[in-house]
Amino acid sequence: YGSAANQLNGPSGFALVQAADGSVVAYLVVDYNNHRVQRCAPAEGGACTTVAGGNGDGSAANQFSYPCGVALEQAADGSVVAYLVVDIDNHRVQRCAPAEGGACTTVAGGHGEGSAAN
């Protein structure tokens, strides 16, 4: 394990990025202990880049605190509109732009631990 682009430290979730024809374009891997989401080429040993988080453990818009899941928001043509990341220790879901290091905004939670509607 480690924190280099080709290393993971506690992968905890993944999603497939698929083209309109269903072919796999990339894998998204939630890297729990490195507080980031990696986009990896589908080939064996494929290169990975950080597409969300990766700025240490924290609660800023560009940080996660132990992310544990990721989903895709896609357009009808199959292009990725955003990544939705479950940020467990910040008690929120972040919507992140698909560009490398894309900006993230809170779309659910983010008001601390609790049982209130928000």
Side-chain angles (χ1 to χ4, degrees), residues 1 3 8 10 15 19 24 34 43 46 52 58-61 65 72 81 86-87 96 104:
Y1 66 92
S3 61
L8 301 172
V24 176
N34 285 322
S59 60
S65 186
L72 297 173
V81 175
V86 177
D87 187 8
C96 304
C104 299

Side-chain angles (χ1 to χ4, degrees), residues 2-104:
S3 61
N6 66 343
Q7 296 177 309
L8 301 172
N9 187 356
S12 62
F14 72 93
L16 298 175
V17 180
Q18 295 178 291
D21 67 2
S23 61
V24 176
V25 176
Y27 302 120
L28 291 180
V29 182
V30 179
D31 192 1
Y32 184 81
N33 289 312
N34 285 322
H35 313 285
R36 66 186 181 182
V37 176
Q38 295 290 89
R39 182 182 171 123
C40 304
E44 183 176 337
C48 299
T49 57
T50 301
V51 293
N55 298 300
D57 182 7
S59 60
N62 67 345
Q63 293 179 304
F64 299 121
S65 186
Y66 301 102
C68 66
V70 65
L72 297 173
E73 181 181 330
Q74 291 182 276
D77 66 0
S79 62
V80 176
V81 175
Y83 305 127
L84 298 161
V85 183
V86 177
D87 187 8
I88 196 163
D89 274 9
N90 285 319
H91 310 285
R92 66 187 181 183
V93 175
Q94 293 287 87
R95 183 179 187 268
C96 304
E100 184 175 338
C104 299

